[in-house]
Amino acid sequence: VLNTSANSKCVCVCAHADLKMSLFLKPLTLAAFAATASGQCSPVGQNCWETQCCKNPKMLCHAKKEGWAMCMSNCTKGIHKTDPKKDQYWECNVLAKCAWGAASGENCMIKGCCQEPGKTCFAKVEGYGQCRMKCPKGWDCTKVTKAQPSLAFPCNKKYTQCGGGNFNKNPCCEEGLVCYGDKPEYYQQCVPKDDAAKKTKKKSGKSDDDDDDTSDLGLSALPSGLLEDQNKEEEEKGPVARFHIMHAMGGALMIVAGVATFAARHQVCQRQATHQALYPEDGDSEEAM
């Protein structure tokens, strides 16, 4: 079914099962989408990789390989004997500025729009959505209107970076993992959900005495450079802290010792005064007599 837009020379064509994209060409389609700027459709015989549309409404832009596509009425994946012998294989994936429907399996969140009229890009889960007429039950159902090119990258594996700093790839993690980091502004990595939950619970319920406690997960969530700097800082602070503690203890002991000495001297003086009062010296007694 063809539907020509009044404000565009490009043509929207409904997708079917044969339009399924290969895993190899999905990132290539993303690259073409990012490069599209002029909005002009390509004539027959020219490369339509960047424009992703054809001037002839009866043709579609079929990709041969990375960086090369042609406007053709139909295309069969495989060897095209009419091409030079060293370059006869065609992928034949249909390129478009917006995503195709569910039959293609294409993630519409990458481009943020749908090629087929009447369809909307609905988020199914975080980082993945499809173009549908209505949002299926059980989906997230957030309507996506903004392109997210980073989603073309695969989800990250266990203990690999998923965020923080200058990270600009797909922030999602493989199934069973979550993106977590003690210092998310610097570094985040994919960790098992249970580990992240334990860490979060411990962090929210710890007391003031546990401020210096750092688990392995927290340390592993820091880049090696930050971790080395932190350890170095702790090593440098160690001797200084011990000196202050010893100095404080020494001062306290001196005060206690001084108080004890004063009390002992005072007691001795009192005993001497009592003794003189009870037993006066012999010379004084004779004079009194």
Side-chain angles (χ1 to χ4, degrees):
V1 180
L2 299 178
N3 181 19
T4 306
S5 173
N7 298 325
S8 174
K9 296 181 181 180
C10 297
V11 179
C12 296
V13 183
C14 291
H16 52 78
D18 293 334
L19 296 178
K20 184 176 290 186
M21 280 195 166
S22 67
L23 293 175
F24 169 74
L25 205 63
K26 280 184 180 180
L28 305 186
T29 304
L30 170 66
F33 170 73
T36 303
S38 64
Q40 300 296 321
C41 294
S42 302
V44 177
Q46 288 189 6
N47 186 2
C48 59
W49 178 265
E50 291 188 0
T51 63
Q52 299 185 15
C53 66
C54 303
K55 284 187 175 181
N56 188 336
K58 295 183 179 180
M59 293 185 176
L60 295 174
C61 182
H62 293 273
K64 179 179 183 178
K65 59 182 179 180
E66 182 180 2
W68 183 258
M70 295 283 290
C71 290
M72 306 166 67
S73 56
N74 59 70
C75 184
T76 303
K77 184 176 181 178
I79 301 296
H80 289 210
K81 294 184 179 180
T82 56
D83 287 4
K85 290 184 178 180
K86 293 183 179 180
D87 191 20
Q88 294 184 331
Y89 188 83
W90 280 73
E91 284 284 347
C92 286
N93 298 97
V94 177
L95 302 184
K97 293 182 178 180
C98 293
W100 294 107
S104 70
E106 187 175 1
N107 183 3
C108 62
M109 295 181 72
I110 295 173
K111 297 179 178 179
C113 60
C114 296
Q115 187 74 8
E116 301 167 71
K119 291 191 175 182
T120 303
C121 181
F122 292 105
K124 181 179 182 180
V125 293
E126 183 180 358
Y128 181 79
Q130 287 184 353
C131 289
R132 298 288 187 99
M133 296 296 292
K134 294 181 180 180
C135 185
K137 209 175 216 184
W139 284 29
D140 179 275
C141 290
T142 300
K143 292 183 179 180
V144 181
T145 57
K146 185 178 179 181
Q148 302 177 55
S150 64
L151 295 177
F153 294 95
C155 289
N156 301 289
K157 298 182 179 295
K158 189 176 182 179
Y159 298 132
T160 57
Q161 187 176 5
C162 57
N166 296 323
F167 184 79
N168 56 6
K169 294 183 179 181
N170 195 339
C172 80
C173 297
E174 291 184 344
E175 189 174 356
L177 305 175
V178 292
C179 191
Y180 181 85
D182 284 343
K183 298 184 178 181
E185 66 274 18
Y186 295 112
Y187 189 82
Q188 290 178 289
Q189 63 180 0
C190 292
V191 299
K193 291 182 179 179
D194 292 341
D195 291 355
K198 289 178 182 177
K199 178 62 179 175
T200 303
K201 184 177 180 181
K202 183 177 180 181
K203 188 175 181 180
S204 61
K206 70 179 182 179
S207 63
D208 294 337
D209 295 333
D210 297 330
D211 287 342
D212 294 332
D213 183 30
T214 307
S215 69
D216 294 339
L217 179 60
L219 292 176
S220 64
L222 291 173
S224 57
L226 291 177
L227 185 58
E228 291 173 0
D229 293 342
Q230 179 176 336
N231 292 337
K232 184 176 180 181
E233 184 179 353
E234 289 178 354
E235 291 176 359
E236 292 175 350
K237 287 183 177 179
V240 177
R242 287 195 295 270
F243 171 78
H244 286 302
I245 292 173
M246 294 299 295
H247 182 72
M249 291 177 64
L253 290 174
M254 291 177 64
I255 292 173
V256 172
V259 171
T261 302
F262 175 79
R265 289 181 177 177
H266 182 69
Q267 188 175 8
V268 170
C269 291
Q270 284 183 335
R271 289 179 179 176
Q272 288 179 349
T274 303
H275 179 77
Q276 290 177 356
L278 294 175
Y279 304 100
E281 294 181 358
D282 293 342
D284 295 338
S285 299
E286 290 177 357
E287 291 177 359
M289 291 177 64

Coordinates of all heavy atoms in Angstrom, one line a residue, residues 40-73:
Q40 N 16.3 15.0 0.8 CA 16.0 14.8 -0.7 C 16.0 13.3 -1.0 O 16.9 12.6 -0.5 CB 17.0 15.5 -1.5 CG 17.0 17.0 -1.3 CD 15.7 17.7 -1.7 OE1 15.1 17.3 -2.7 NE2 15.3 18.7 -1.0
C41 N 15.1 12.8 -1.8 CA 15.1 11.4 -2.2 C 16.0 11.2 -3.4 O 16.3 12.1 -4.2 CB 13.7 11.0 -2.5 SG 12.6 11.0 -1.1
S42 N 16.4 10.0 -3.6 CA 17.4 9.7 -4.6 C 16.8 9.1 -5.9 O 15.8 8.4 -5.8 CB 18.4 8.6 -4.1 OG 19.0 9.0 -2.9
P43 N 17.4 9.5 -7.0 CA 16.9 9.0 -8.3 C 17.4 7.6 -8.6 O 18.3 7.1 -7.9 CB 17.4 10.0 -9.3 CG 18.7 10.5 -8.7 CD 18.4 10.5 -7.2
V44 N 16.9 7.0 -9.6 CA 17.4 5.6 -10.0 C 18.8 5.7 -10.4 O 19.3 6.6 -11.1 CB 16.5 5.0 -11.1 CG1 17.1 3.7 -11.6 CG2 15.1 4.9 -10.7
G45 N 19.6 4.7 -9.9 CA 21.0 4.7 -10.3 C 22.0 5.4 -9.3 O 23.2 5.2 -9.4
Q46 N 21.4 6.1 -8.4 CA 22.3 6.8 -7.4 C 22.2 6.0 -6.0 O 21.2 5.4 -5.7 CB 21.9 8.2 -7.2 CG 22.3 9.1 -8.4 CD 22.0 10.6 -8.1 OE1 21.7 11.0 -7.0 NE2 22.2 11.4 -9.1
N47 N 23.2 6.2 -5.2 CA 23.2 5.6 -3.9 C 22.2 6.3 -3.0 O 22.2 7.5 -2.8 CB 24.6 5.8 -3.3 CG 24.8 5.1 -2.0 OD1 23.9 4.4 -1.5 ND2 26.0 5.2 -1.4
C48 N 21.3 5.5 -2.4 CA 20.2 6.1 -1.5 C 20.5 5.7 -0.1 O 19.6 5.8 0.8 CB 18.9 5.5 -1.9 SG 18.7 3.7 -1.9
W49 N 21.7 5.3 0.3 CA 22.1 5.0 1.6 C 21.8 6.1 2.6 O 21.3 5.9 3.7 CB 23.6 4.6 1.7 CG 24.0 4.2 3.1 CD1 24.6 5.0 4.0 CD2 23.9 2.9 3.7 NE1 24.9 4.3 5.1 CE2 24.5 3.0 5.0 CE3 23.4 1.7 3.3 CZ2 24.5 2.0 5.9 CZ3 23.4 0.6 4.2 CH2 24.0 0.8 5.5
E50 N 22.1 7.3 2.2 CA 21.9 8.5 3.2 C 20.5 9.0 3.1 O 19.9 9.3 4.2 CB 22.9 9.6 2.8 CG 24.3 9.2 3.2 CD 25.3 10.4 3.1 OE1 24.8 11.5 2.7 OE2 26.5 10.2 3.3
T51 N 19.9 9.1 1.9 CA 18.5 9.7 1.9 C 17.5 8.7 2.3 O 16.4 9.1 2.9 CB 18.2 10.1 0.4 OG1 18.2 8.9 -0.4 CG2 19.2 11.1 -0.1
Q52 N 17.7 7.4 2.1 CA 16.8 6.3 2.5 C 15.4 6.4 1.9 O 14.4 6.0 2.4 CB 16.7 6.2 4.0 CG 18.0 5.9 4.7 CD 17.9 5.8 6.2 OE1 16.8 5.6 6.7 NE2 19.0 5.8 6.9
C53 N 15.3 7.1 0.7 CA 14.0 7.2 0.0 C 14.3 7.4 -1.5 O 15.4 7.8 -1.9 CB 13.2 8.3 0.6 SG 13.8 9.9 0.3
C54 N 13.3 7.1 -2.3 CA 13.5 7.1 -3.7 C 12.5 8.1 -4.4 O 11.3 8.2 -3.9 CB 13.2 5.7 -4.3 SG 14.3 4.5 -3.6
K55 N 12.9 8.8 -5.4 CA 12.1 9.7 -6.2 C 10.9 9.0 -6.9 O 9.8 9.5 -7.0 CB 12.9 10.5 -7.2 CG 13.7 11.6 -6.5 CD 14.4 12.5 -7.6 CE 15.1 13.7 -7.0 NZ 15.7 14.5 -8.0
N56 N 11.2 7.8 -7.4 CA 10.2 6.9 -8.0 C 9.4 6.3 -6.9 O 9.8 5.5 -6.2 CB 10.9 5.9 -8.9 CG 9.9 5.1 -9.7 OD1 8.7 5.0 -9.4 ND2 10.4 4.6 -10.8
P57 N 8.1 6.6 -6.8 CA 7.2 6.1 -5.8 C 7.0 4.6 -5.8 O 6.5 4.0 -4.9 CB 5.9 6.8 -5.9 CG 5.9 7.2 -7.4 CD 7.3 7.5 -7.7
K58 N 7.4 4.0 -7.0 CA 7.2 2.5 -7.1 C 8.5 1.7 -6.7 O 8.5 0.5 -6.8 CB 6.9 2.2 -8.6 CG 5.5 2.7 -9.0 CD 5.2 2.3 -10.4 CE 3.9 2.9 -10.9 NZ 3.6 2.5 -12.3
M59 N 9.4 2.4 -6.2 CA 10.7 1.8 -5.8 C 11.0 2.0 -4.3 O 10.5 3.0 -3.7 CB 11.9 2.3 -6.6 CG 11.8 2.0 -8.1 SD 13.3 2.5 -9.0 CE 13.0 1.9 -10.6
L60 N 11.8 1.1 -3.8 CA 12.3 1.2 -2.4 C 13.8 1.2 -2.4 O 14.4 0.7 -3.3 CB 11.7 0.1 -1.5 CG 10.2 0.0 -1.3 CD1 9.9 -1.3 -0.6 CD2 9.7 1.2 -0.6
C61 N 14.3 1.8 -1.3 CA 15.8 1.8 -1.1 C 16.3 0.5 -0.5 O 16.1 0.3 0.7 CB 16.2 3.0 -0.3 SG 18.0 3.2 -0.1
H62 N 16.9 -0.3 -1.3 CA 17.4 -1.6 -0.8 C 18.9 -1.5 -0.6 O 19.7 -1.1 -1.5 CB 17.1 -2.7 -1.9 CG 15.7 -3.0 -2.1 ND1 15.0 -3.9 -1.3 CD2 14.8 -2.4 -2.9 CE1 13.7 -3.9 -1.7 NE2 13.6 -3.0 -2.7
A63 N 19.4 -2.0 0.6 CA 20.8 -1.9 0.9 C 21.5 -3.1 0.4 O 21.0 -4.3 0.5 CB 20.9 -1.9 2.5
K64 N 22.6 -2.9 -0.2 CA 23.5 -4.0 -0.7 C 24.5 -4.3 0.4 O 24.7 -5.5 0.7 CB 24.2 -3.5 -2.0 CG 25.2 -4.6 -2.5 CD 25.8 -4.2 -3.8 CE 26.7 -5.3 -4.4 NZ 27.3 -4.9 -5.7
K65 N 25.2 -3.4 0.9 CA 26.2 -3.5 2.0 C 26.3 -2.2 2.7 O 25.6 -1.2 2.4 CB 27.5 -3.9 1.3 CG 28.1 -2.9 0.3 CD 29.4 -3.4 -0.3 CE 29.9 -2.3 -1.3 NZ 31.2 -2.8 -1.9
E66 N 27.2 -2.2 3.6 CA 27.4 -0.9 4.4 C 27.8 0.2 3.5 O 28.8 0.1 2.7 CB 28.5 -1.1 5.5 CG 28.7 0.1 6.3 CD 29.7 -0.1 7.4 OE1 30.3 -1.2 7.4 OE2 30.0 0.8 8.2
G67 N 27.0 1.3 3.5 CA 27.3 2.5 2.7 C 26.8 2.5 1.3 O 27.0 3.5 0.6
W68 N 26.2 1.4 0.9 CA 25.7 1.4 -0.5 C 24.3 0.8 -0.6 O 24.0 -0.3 -0.1 CB 26.6 0.6 -1.4 CG 26.2 0.6 -2.8 CD1 25.6 -0.3 -3.5 CD2 26.4 1.7 -3.8 NE1 25.3 0.0 -4.8 CE2 25.8 1.3 -5.0 CE3 26.9 3.0 -3.7 CZ2 25.8 2.2 -6.1 CZ3 26.9 3.8 -4.8 CH2 26.3 3.4 -6.0
A69 N 23.4 1.5 -1.2 CA 22.0 1.0 -1.4 C 21.5 1.6 -2.7 O 22.0 2.7 -3.2 CB 21.1 1.4 -0.3
M70 N 20.5 1.0 -3.3 CA 20.0 1.4 -4.6 C 18.5 1.4 -4.6 O 17.8 0.6 -3.9 CB 20.5 0.5 -5.7 CG 22.0 0.6 -6.0 SD 22.5 2.0 -6.9 CE 21.8 1.7 -8.5
C71 N 17.8 2.3 -5.4 CA 16.4 2.3 -5.5 C 16.0 1.2 -6.5 O 16.4 1.3 -7.7 CB 15.9 3.7 -6.0 SG 16.1 4.9 -4.7
M72 N 15.2 0.2 -6.0 CA 14.8 -0.9 -6.9 C 13.3 -1.2 -6.6 O 12.8 -1.0 -5.5 CB 15.7 -2.1 -6.6 CG 17.2 -1.8 -6.7 SD 18.2 -3.1 -6.0 CE 17.9 -4.5 -7.1
S73 N 12.7 -1.7 -7.6 CA 11.3 -2.1 -7.4 C 11.2 -3.4 -6.6 O 10.2 -3.6 -5.9 CB 10.6 -2.3 -8.8 OG 11.3 -3.3 -9.6

